[in-house]
Amino acid sequence: MSDETTYQNILTRLDGRVGIVQLNRPKVLNALNKETMGEVTEALELFDRNPDAGCLVITGNERAFAAGADITQMAEATPVSMLDNPFIDYWDRLRRIGKPIVAAVSGYALGGGCELAMACDMIVASETARFGQPEINIGVIPGAGGTQRMTRAVGKALAMEIVINGRFLTAEEALRHGLVNRVVPVELYLEEAVRLAAEIAARAPVAVRLGKEAVNAAFETTLQSGLAHERRLFYMLFATEDQKEGMDAFINKRPPVWKGK
Ligand code: CAA
């Protein structure tokens, strides 16, 4: 497992069964340059392959989760340089992480930072969190999923304001509109995210993974094929030792012991 000395722009650690990745460019509010996105992707993939980690958390610091893609790095980009930039590929790799990821967000989650939080499976926000897609202020639109994930989360009317008028959402608004799971005082947001992740990490690992896959399928497909997908995953779980263990434990009134097999 990589430790924090391996990376320039992030810190990583394993806390119990929770793999934690912390963005660590505080001077630029954790702006996401391609090196940082590369490290985040690599660290999450390493945790995804590590059987000691059951659930992942990505966080920033109190002032900023991340204030977006690094504008200084993007300013001179051309369409062709964008095609060659691994930045976009990193987002596709993040989508393929099998273990659940909880974003612990405090302060600014803007542009690519908001998109990174929305690419996670759940968001725990501090009361000071601010979510927005202010790309319109620099003459572009979101390019890492913001128009799609924000619209699915909060609906068309509000997404339009956010994307084409640069409106920020407070943590409470984000909660009300279903963008985040919960809002807690700033001194508790990371602790709460790790607590949630630890709860998930203590559950049957294969079922957690397939549950994530099934819920995500709801965003990708029709109801009919989503239901068929769910059923196949459900049947597959009956080939696991954990299904036998979970049901035997229930019947015999004892706690289950999961093997992830
Ligand atoms: N890229 C590069 N540097 C950034 C940055 C970013 N996205 N956001 C902040 N910084 C830097 C600032 O330039 C500043 O650096 P210096 O101290 O060297 O001047 C430092 O971080 C602190 O920022 P501010 O002084 O601006 O702090 P503030 O409290 O006055 O304002 C803010 C905070 C409102 C978040 C403001 O920094 C801001 O508007 N940032 C840009 C937000 C943005 O437009 N994000 C979208 C980027 S595009 C994108 O993400 C595309 C995509 O979809 C992938």
Side-chain angles (χ1 to χ4, degrees), residues 27-29 31 63 67-71 74 108 110-112 115 134-135 138 142-144:
K27 287 194 180 125
V28 287
L29 308 183
R63 186 169 174 220
D70 192 317
I71 299 170
M74 253 184 337
Y108 296 114
L110 302 179
E115 290 167 307
E135 287 89 344
I138 51 171

Side-chain angles (χ1 to χ4, degrees), residues 9-11 13 20-26 29-32 40 57-67 102-109 113 116-117 124 189-190 193:
N9 304 289
I10 62 170
L11 303 170
R13 67 180 198 275
I20 303 174
V21 174
Q22 181 178 13
L23 300 163
N24 191 30
R25 298 182 80 211
L29 308 183
N30 290 330
L32 299 167
V40 166
V57 167
I58 179 159
T59 193
N61 56 52
E62 273 186 30
R63 186 169 174 220
F65 177 73
V102 181
V105 176
S106 181
Y108 296 114
L116 180 60
V124 172
Y189 77 98
L190 183 56

Side-chain angles (χ1 to χ4, degrees), residues 18-199:
V18 178
I20 303 174
V21 174
Q22 181 178 13
L23 300 163
N24 191 30
R25 298 182 80 211
K27 287 194 180 125
V28 287
L29 308 183
N30 290 330
L32 299 167
N33 58 11
K34 63 175 187 283
E35 294 78 12
T36 306
M37 279 305 295
E39 290 184 2
V40 166
T41 306
E42 192 190 312
L44 291 174
E45 287 176 343
L46 272 176
F47 279 135
D48 204 28
R49 291 196 294 269
N50 181 347
D52 294 337
C55 190
L56 317 181
V57 167
I58 179 159
T59 193
N61 56 52
E62 273 186 30
R63 186 169 174 220
F65 177 73
D70 192 317
I71 299 170
T72 57
Q73 209 172 56
M74 253 184 337
E76 301 302 325
T78 66
V80 174
S81 73
M82 297 276 223
L83 277 178
D84 287 338
N85 193 324
F87 195 78
I88 295 300
D89 185 44
Y90 293 141
W91 294 90
D92 290 338
R93 283 166 59 187
L94 286 184
R95 275 183 49 227
R96 294 197 291 272
I97 301 286
K99 289 173 188 167
I101 311 174
V102 181
V105 176
S106 181
Y108 296 114
L110 302 179
C114 188
E115 290 167 307
L116 180 60
M118 292 192 295
C120 296
D121 302 299
M122 283 158 279
I123 301 177
V124 172
S126 90
E127 288 164 341
T128 64
R130 293 290 177 273
F131 297 87
Q133 299 289 161
E135 287 89 344
I136 197 73
N137 297 330
I138 51 171
V140 292
I141 64 171
T147 64
Q148 304 303 298
R149 291 202 174 97
M150 185 61 83
T151 307
R152 280 166 167 79
V154 307
K156 174 177 165 179
L158 186 53
M160 282 291 181
E161 276 195 72
I162 292 166
V163 171
I164 65 176
N165 204 25
R167 172 166 165 190
F168 287 3
L169 296 184
T170 64
E172 278 307 324
E173 286 175 315
L175 182 65
R176 196 163 357 111
H177 292 284
L179 186 68
V180 310
N181 292 68
R182 60 195 69 167
V183 177
V184 297
V186 65
E187 60 277 13
L188 293 180
Y189 77 98
L190 183 56
E191 190 181 319
E192 177 63 14
V194 173
R195 198 194 59 71
L196 174 62
E199 259 179 43

